[in-house]
Amino acid sequence: MSVTVFASIDIGSHETVLRIYEVSKKHGIHELEYLHHTARLGYETFSTRHISYHTIDKLCNILNGFSEKMKEYQIKDYMIIATSALREADNNVIVLDQVKQRTGFQIKILSNSEQRYLCYKAIALQPNAFHKLIQKGTLLVDVGGGSIQLSLFDKSKLITTHNIRLGSLRIQEFLQKIQDETTSYQNLVYEYISNSLHTFTKLYSSDFKIKNIIAVGNQLHSFVKYLSIHHFGNLQPVDSKGSKKDSINRQEYDEFYQSISTQSPEKLAQELGLSLDKAELLLPTAMIYHNIFEETHAEQMWLSGITICDGMAADFAERKEHIIPAHHFSEDIVSVARRLATRFRCDEDHIRHVEMAALKLYDALRKPNNLTRRDRLLLQIAAILHNCGSFLNLNEIGENSYKIVTSTEIIGLSHQERMMVASIIRYPSSFFPEYPEIKNDFNQEEYIKIAKLNAILCLADAMDRSHRQKFSKLTIRKHNHELIVTGHSLYDITLEQGMFRQQSEFFEEAFGIRPVLHQKKNFS
């Protein structure tokens, strides 16, 4: 039996964590060891946007200690990531260089969407709980030190996701400066966070009833420990059958919240065996979840013990084919894109036609052009969103579509993939920029992919230029140096023929094959 030992290192806002896992096809993912040390990167970044030499030095010492522990396990496979604290620091390039020079570790700074996607992968490994919950309105709430991620699922699909820069550490850092000026610290926190949460629920509460909350975050372990210590009211660490309880209803959470909100950070630290810094984050975190319960009127909260380290392990196991994912997030990415297109009142019939044509062209061209399944997904998202900018301005559709996509997070796409999608739809005409014009944003391989996918999209769009879906069927075949596209239609396709010829020049340049559009009127 093949068993791999894998290490995940998370450089978080408040602490740096090492988790070591055993990964195998037979037993899945099993945690072997967990180490953590406080390194308050977030306190510095969120207040000054700068990480001091002292903190860099402490981080390097922690990582060197982790390196020694990894040598004990003879670990070769590992992943080390950083999130908002390093992502937002103005000197993060220097920090990365210092860490590499002094520890040998090369840190990957995740975009927000990449960060949340890893957590979702780990949650989705538990099909019985996760898949049952997301059949009905479920809000996945990931509370980090720097931000909150709200992701709404319904009928087993991701509907939308939003990031709010109001994490527990950011809130605590901001409010501790002014808490002495008020007699009601809790009301101050509510005023600080409630508007953003209310705006989110107002946008979607009319269309979706939120029944469940899935809570994700580093503080949840401390919450569960608090529940285990305090046996009051309906709050018990186990259910009536003696099994470990992983959810609480709204009344139980109210009892928990009222209890924990009366405790001082010093008492919580002593009682739960936490550092004072970590204990000070419990109340802001508890208040966030309490506010979400009130805003959504959800019935229960599932307390997930999932961390981003678990997500890294899940991602590794999936890539090595040790596990088969129970939930396919590519479908969620497409679902979110369709929802976004609906929000900007895109022509759904036109989108479907362009999407179908673009994917048929892609499938005919994939093998000789080294295009991947992931590239196909990026093209599909681009086809769905290519016309969203028309909602803002009919004269600058490509540019406005570009701005909409670059400013909208899509969980499951990395920041770079989202920029690629935006650039694919940015140039709807036969003009496409030369590489030197955009080389600061993309490497040469990415540029070539963007150009090819743009050429496919423009050709597909040309075949429905009238937005009347004149072709009932498309067939595509290659013959010598021509790509022959046959459209079955009884309509006049003069407009489509003209637009097709206009787009064919760049397509031929990108693929080295001349596209030709034929009409077939015989349906027999």
Side-chain angles (χ1 to χ4, degrees):
M1 180 180 66
S2 175
V3 177
T4 304
V5 181
F6 175 79
S8 302
I9 299 177
D10 169 29
I11 300 174
S13 300
H14 179 262
E15 63 182 5
T16 298
V17 174
L18 166 68
R19 292 182 186 267
I20 298 174
Y21 303 87
E22 188 177 77
V23 181
S24 67
K25 286 187 176 181
K26 184 176 182 179
H27 299 293
I29 302 171
H30 174 66
E31 184 177 306
L32 299 176
E33 190 155 353
Y34 163 55
L35 298 174
H36 62 102
H37 291 283
T38 300
R40 300 170 50 169
L41 278 71
Y43 281 98
E44 294 186 344
T45 298
F46 302 149
S47 59
T48 68
R49 300 191 63 82
H50 195 84
I51 297 175
S52 67
Y53 171 77
H54 173 75
T55 301
I56 296 173
D57 186 59
K58 183 174 183 179
L59 175 62
C60 289
N61 289 335
I62 292 171
L63 292 177
N64 279 323
F66 286 173
S67 180
E68 291 302 312
K69 174 59 67 173
M70 290 163 63
K71 288 176 183 177
E72 293 178 19
Y73 285 89
Q74 299 181 332
I75 292 173
K76 296 180 180 179
D77 297 301
Y78 67 92
M79 184 175 182
I80 175 168
I81 61 95
T83 52
S84 58
L86 201 51
R87 187 168 62 231
E88 296 178 26
D90 58 13
N91 63 332
N92 56 23
V93 174
I94 292 175
V95 177
L96 294 180
D97 179 69
Q98 283 289 304
V99 168
K100 186 176 181 180
Q101 293 296 326
R102 297 174 58 182
T103 70
F105 284 124
Q106 188 156 349
I107 301 170
K108 180 179 181 181
I109 299 180
L110 298 184
S111 66
N112 180 67
S113 57
E114 290 174 304
Q115 173 186 348
R116 311 304 175 172
Y117 185 45
L118 283 178
C119 287
Y120 295 177
K121 275 192 171 186
I123 293 170
L125 285 179
Q126 305 176 39
N128 293 334
F130 180 72
H131 288 268
K132 185 177 180 180
L133 286 174
I134 66 173
Q135 290 174 13
K136 297 182 179 179
T138 296
L139 189 64
L140 199 157
V141 183
D142 185 352
V143 177
S147 65
I148 308 166
Q149 191 76 26
L150 303 172
S151 299
L152 177 60
F153 289 84
D154 190 60
K155 297 178 181 177
S156 299
K157 289 186 178 181
L158 177 62
I159 303 301
T160 188
T161 182
H162 287 270
N163 182 257
I164 304 174
R165 296 177 71 179
L166 291 174
S168 56
L169 182 59
R170 200 187 297 268
I171 291 172
Q172 195 264 347
E173 175 70 14
F174 174 76
L175 292 177
Q176 70 177 359
K177 300 174 183 177
I178 57 175
Q179 63 179 321
D180 293 337
E181 302 173 17
T182 179
T183 57
S184 180
Y185 175 70
Q186 293 183 28
N187 287 340
L188 195 64
V189 175
Y190 271 130
E191 288 181 10
Y192 189 57
I193 67 177
S194 62
N195 181 62
S196 296
L197 295 174
H198 180 69
T199 300
F200 175 85
T201 54
K202 188 176 180 181
L203 280 171
Y204 298 101
S205 60
S206 59
D207 296 328
F208 302 95
K209 177 175 172 54
I210 298 173
K211 293 176 64 67
N212 307 299
I213 297 170
I214 299 177
V216 182
N218 292 332
Q219 299 296 332
L220 292 179
H221 176 75
S222 300
F223 282 10
V224 172
K225 192 171 183 179
Y226 188 88
L227 300 183
S228 300
I229 293 174
H230 292 268
H231 296 257
F232 58 88
N234 294 320
L235 273 178
Q236 299 294 330
V238 297
D239 61 20
S240 58
K241 297 179 180 180
S243 301
K244 183 180 178 181
K245 191 172 183 180
D246 58 5
S247 68
I248 55 177
N249 62 36
R250 190 176 178 185
Q251 179 184 344
E252 291 170 338
Y253 188 86
D254 281 344
E255 293 181 39
F256 158 74
Y257 174 69
Q258 293 301 324
S259 175
I260 202 169
S261 62
T262 61
Q263 307 297 316
S264 68
E266 291 79 9
K267 186 174 181 180
L268 287 171
Q270 182 179 9
E271 188 173 50
L272 301 178
L274 303 174
S275 66
L276 180 59
D277 289 340
K278 197 165 186 177
E280 288 175 339
L281 300 178
L282 286 178
L283 182 55
T285 305
M287 296 183 81
I288 290 170
Y289 286 121
H290 188 255
N291 193 295
I292 291 171
F293 249 130
E294 290 194 338
E295 284 287 345
T296 62
H297 304 291
E299 297 172 6
Q300 69 169 0
M301 176 188 289
W302 183 61
L303 298 170
S304 167
I306 294 299
T307 68
I308 195 169
C309 286
D310 299 323
M312 286 185 266
D315 180 68
F316 170 78
E318 184 181 330
R319 284 188 283 108
K320 294 295 183 179
E321 298 183 347
H322 287 308
I323 60 171
I324 299 173
H327 184 79
H328 297 284
F329 282 95
S330 58
E331 296 174 8
D332 288 332
I333 298 170
V334 173
S335 174
V336 169
R338 294 199 196 286
R339 184 83 186 175
L340 189 61
T342 300
R343 187 195 308 173
F344 288 97
R345 301 179 186 176
C346 296
D347 183 339
E348 293 184 9
D349 292 333
H350 172 69
I351 286 173
R352 276 197 299 270
H353 203 78
V354 172
E355 181 184 352
M356 177 272 295
L359 295 180
K360 276 185 173 292
L361 287 166
Y362 171 91
D363 291 338
L365 297 161
R366 179 180 63 84
K367 287 185 179 179
N369 288 278
N370 297 317
L371 295 170
T372 66
R373 185 179 300 176
R374 191 68 176 179
D375 298 329
R376 191 181 195 272
L377 177 62
L378 298 185
L379 175 62
Q380 185 176 11
I381 301 304
I384 294 169
L385 298 175
H386 79 280
N387 212 32
C388 61
S390 62
F391 180 81
L392 303 178
N393 189 328
L394 291 173
N395 295 320
E396 297 288 344
I397 294 176
E399 192 64 31
N400 287 321
S401 298
Y402 171 84
K403 291 176 181 176
I404 288 172
V405 173
T406 55
S407 60
T408 304
E409 283 199 329
I410 302 176
I411 295 295
L413 295 186
S414 68
H415 171 77
Q416 194 67 359
E417 286 176 326
R418 185 157 48 92
M419 293 302 295
M420 289 175 71
V421 170
S423 297
I424 292 166
I425 65 180
R426 190 177 192 178
Y427 309 101
S429 66
S430 56
F431 164 78
F432 193 83
E434 298 294 332
Y435 179 59
E437 297 178 48
I438 57 175
K439 67 178 183 179
N440 291 334
D441 299 317
F442 305 103
N443 61 37
Q444 290 187 17
E445 183 181 352
E446 290 168 339
Y447 171 80
I448 293 298
K449 285 190 176 184
I450 293 168
K452 288 183 174 182
L453 298 181
N454 171 266
I456 292 174
L457 179 60
C458 289
L459 210 62
D461 188 46
M463 286 186 278
D464 192 40
R465 186 66 180 84
S466 64
H467 285 229
R468 294 178 61 187
Q469 296 79 56
K470 294 178 181 178
F471 298 110
S472 61
K473 180 183 176 182
L474 290 176
T475 56
I476 302 171
R477 65 184 179 90
K478 286 182 280 187
H479 180 69
N480 296 330
H481 296 291
E482 289 186 338
L483 186 72
I484 300 172
V485 181
T486 303
H488 296 245
S489 178
L490 293 174
Y491 296 98
D492 179 357
I493 65 165
T494 304
L495 175 62
E496 284 70 26
Q497 285 277 20
M499 295 302 300
F500 191 94
R501 283 193 297 269
Q502 183 177 319
Q503 299 291 352
S504 64
E505 184 175 344
F506 179 63
F507 184 95
E508 184 177 16
E509 180 184 336
F511 287 98
I513 188 170
R514 181 76 176 176
V516 179
L517 178 60
H518 290 168
Q519 181 179 14
K520 186 174 183 179
K521 295 185 178 181
N522 183 5
F523 289 89
S524 60

